[in-house]
């Protein structure tokens, strides 16, 4: 067993606090990673505070993990000691169902194994995430990370990156398409970067007028304040695709109305309450709503390789592990540009 230091949520109310536990001993297919950085996803906060129900405590959140491989099991072929590697939202799946066979492990028929707030497939080990010094993961669910990019800024690609890349690809976003991105947070800002890099004309739709300059810097052509009803009206029926990355409860109809013929609302945000949808908005222009959950391992590697080629990383603000509770409060206020990343070295002090 491998002793590690971490920060955990002990229940849904109290701040996260130091926690020590043991990782499983290195199995023959496992990779042992010394974690350098871990991004802070809004899903960490949702789960630490039990906003989706069913949270398991103590919980070590964190699924935007990057670091160095320090040991490999006897049968590992794809990684060696010294490699830079990443682990995202999923650490296992059944591997044999129709979806696993199609490189869509995130939709495993038995349910994928989350990186934390989940049981490993042995039925007895609690999966714990990246707010910790090391992780042990089967090599099939470990990603290669290029040394060309700034590693701190790569960490958020493991969730915010793949979660926006995958639906934009699936929707066929390409040159000249009109794409809206709603919610300029960790996911949203990656959505803007990818849509711009695919050649789309991008509009950011935000509740925060103060984010306009950043949106333009990220490559957006237009910026729309969603509380301005008059401005919103001008964009009725305008977009081919809208990526909804809002973390809080909201009405889908407001964004559906902005879609053109066959327009798609790509939902990735996961508020706790069910949204309202008007069937009249949906039938108008033959619109559809499509959900999307992270991406498969193959596509995640493709996204990381694409980012290395195009020099795409997240805009990050570094924090020490001890600052995590303050970071959660700031994230709730939309006060982060645009992803907090924990320097895991702070955990070792
Ligand atoms: P985040 O950084 O906190 O960003 C969320 C953004 O939503 C905020 O920056 C804000 O943007 C907007 N927002 C917040 N409150 C709002 C409100 N009341 N009304 C309208 N807009 C509001 O969160 P994140 O890490 O990007 O995650 C976003 C959501 O995606 C979370 O629910 C998370 O759990 C989910 N998620 C899903 C997947 C998946 O696989 N589908 C993966 C990862 C995360 P503006 O200031 O621009 O309005
Ligand atoms: Zn996430
Ligand atoms: Zn499966």
């Amino acid at each position: 067993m491998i002793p590690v230091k971490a920060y955990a949520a002990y229940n849904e109310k109290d701040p996260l606090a130091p926690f020590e536990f043991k990782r499983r001993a290195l199995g023959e297919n496992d990779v042992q990673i010394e974690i350098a950085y871990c991004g802070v996803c809004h899903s960490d906060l949702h789960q630490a505070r039990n906003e989706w129900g069913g949270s398991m405590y103590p919980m070590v959140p964190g699924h935007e993990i990057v670091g160095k491989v320090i040991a490999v099991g006897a049968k590992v072929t794809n990684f060696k000691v010294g490699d830079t590697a990443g682990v995202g939202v999923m650490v296992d799946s059944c591997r044999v169902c129709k979806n696993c066979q199609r490189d869509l492990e995130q939709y495993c028929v038995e349910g994928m194994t989350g990186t934390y707030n989940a049981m490993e497939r042995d039925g007895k080990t609690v999966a714990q995430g990246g707010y910790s010094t090391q992780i042990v993961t089967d090599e099939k669910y470990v990603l290669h990370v290029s040394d060309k990019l700034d590693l701190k800024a790569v960490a958020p690609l493991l969730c915010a990156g793949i979660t926006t890349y995958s639906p934009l690809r699936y929707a066929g976003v390409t040159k000249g398409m009109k794409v809206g991105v709603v919610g300029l947070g960790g996911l949203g800002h990656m959505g803007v970067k990818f849509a711009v890099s695919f050649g789309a004309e991008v509009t950011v739709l935000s509740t925060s007028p103060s984010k306009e300059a950043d949106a333009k810097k990220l490559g957006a052509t237009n910026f729309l304040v969603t509380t301005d009803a008059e401005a919103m009206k001008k964009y009725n029926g305008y977009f081919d695709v809208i990526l909804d990355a809002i973390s809080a409860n909201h009405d889908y109809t407001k964004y559906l109305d902005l879609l053109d013929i066959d327009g798609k609302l790509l939902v990735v945000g996961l508020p706790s309450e069910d949204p309202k949808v008007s069937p009249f908005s949906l039938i108008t222009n033959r619109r559809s709503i499509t959900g999307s959950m992270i991406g498969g391992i193959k596509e995640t590697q493709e996204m990381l390789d694409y980012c290395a080629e195009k020099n795409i990383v997240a805009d990050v603000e570094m924090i020490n592990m001890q600052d995590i509770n303050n970071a959660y409060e700031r994230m709730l206020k939309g006060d982060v540009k645009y992803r907090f990343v924990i320097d895991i070295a702070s955990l070792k002090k």
Side-chain angles (χ1 to χ4, degrees):
M1 303 286 272
I2 300 164
V4 296
K5 287 187 172 179
Y7 255 57
Y10 286 83
N11 56 58
E12 64 187 64
K13 289 191 309 287
D14 293 323
L16 272 66
F19 176 60
E20 293 188 10
F21 69 103
K22 290 192 170 71
R23 295 284 184 192
R24 65 165 183 257
L26 193 69
E28 55 188 11
N29 298 308
D30 284 340
V31 173
Q32 184 178 354
I33 299 170
E34 181 85 27
I35 302 174
Y37 305 108
C38 183
V40 178
C41 180
H42 207 113
S43 300
D44 299 349
L45 187 158
H46 286 309
Q47 292 175 90
R49 298 188 178 178
N50 199 24
E51 290 174 357
W52 297 337
S55 283
M56 294 158 54
Y57 302 101
M59 177 199 304
V60 178
H63 57 208
E64 294 184 337
I65 300 165
V66 291
K68 287 274 178 210
V69 174
I70 55 169
V72 296
K75 290 194 176 158
V76 169
T77 55
N78 204 18
F79 290 87
K80 58 181 191 318
V81 171
D83 283 355
T84 308
V87 175
V89 179
M90 157 173 72
V91 291
D92 209 346
S93 66
C94 86
R95 306 168 191 214
V96 294
C97 75
K98 60 186 189 343
N99 295 338
C100 283
Q101 293 290 324
R102 291 167 61 207
D103 296 310
L104 295 170
E105 306 90 344
Q106 75 275 34
Y107 305 121
C108 176
V109 171
E110 290 185 4
M112 66 166 195
T113 305
T115 301
Y116 67 87
N117 194 24
M119 291 303 285
E120 296 268 10
R121 300 189 94 77
D122 65 6
K124 52 182 197 234
T125 311
V126 179
Q128 298 286 23
Y131 297 4
S132 62
T133 48
Q134 294 190 7
I135 190 164
V136 174
T137 306
D138 187 298
E139 69 164 335
K140 273 193 173 10
Y141 300 82
V142 179
L143 289 307
H144 286 284
V145 172
S146 165
D147 290 317
K148 279 202 294 194
L149 299 174
D150 178 9
L151 193 57
K152 311 187 263 307
V154 168
L157 301 179
L158 275 304
C159 175
I162 185 59
T163 301
T164 51
Y165 178 93
S166 182
L168 291 171
R169 281 288 197 217
Y170 179 74
V173 169
T174 181
K175 200 170 168 53
M177 274 173 83
K178 296 190 175 79
V179 174
V181 175
V182 198
L184 195 63
L187 265 58
H189 96 292
M190 288 311 307
V192 173
K193 290 189 187 207
F194 285 129
V196 168
S197 84
F198 300 159
E201 178 210 281
V202 178
T203 301
V204 168
L205 297 98
S206 173
T207 57
S208 312
S210 62
K211 292 181 181 174
E212 178 162 5
D214 288 341
K216 300 274 169 73
K217 237 186 278 166
L218 291 165
T221 308
N222 311 307
F223 184 84
L224 202 49
V225 179
T226 52
T227 48
D228 181 343
E230 279 308 303
M232 288 287 276
K233 227 189 226 163
K234 288 189 194 136
Y235 281 82
N236 249 326
Y238 184 79
F239 297 103
D240 299 303
V241 164
I242 295 178
L243 180 72
D244 175 347
I246 298 178
S247 55
N249 297 319
H250 62 289
D251 183 350
Y252 286 1
T253 304
K254 184 168 172 175
Y255 308 106
L256 275 175
D257 286 341
L258 307 184
L259 289 169
D260 197 358
I261 284 283
D262 293 328
K264 291 184 184 64
L265 181 68
L266 307 175
V267 172
V268 290
L270 290 168
S272 53
E273 284 172 25
D274 296 343
K276 267 183 25 193
V277 179
S278 154
F280 292 94
S281 284
L282 204 51
I283 66 168
T284 301
N285 281 354
R286 201 164 55 196
R287 295 161 176 147
S288 56
I289 303 176
T290 303
S292 188
M293 179 162 57
I294 51 169
I297 293 297
K298 186 175 171 206
E299 193 178 34
T300 305
Q301 189 64 62
E302 173 193 307
M303 178 273 313
L304 287 167
D305 296 346
Y306 178 81
C307 289
E309 184 196 322
K310 303 274 179 185
N311 210 13
I312 295 173
V313 288
D315 293 5
V316 301
E317 178 178 339
M318 299 306 296
I319 58 167
N320 288 333
M321 189 70 255
Q322 296 76 7
D323 301 330
I324 188 66
N325 296 300
N326 183 39
Y328 278 6
E329 292 311 313
R330 284 185 52 199
M331 183 161 64
L332 277 175
K333 289 189 221 138
D335 176 24
V336 47
K337 291 185 171 183
Y338 274 91
R339 195 57 137 190
F340 288 116
V341 172
I342 305 161
D343 183 352
I344 295 297
S346 62
L347 195 47
K348 297 175 191 162
K349 284 181 194 148

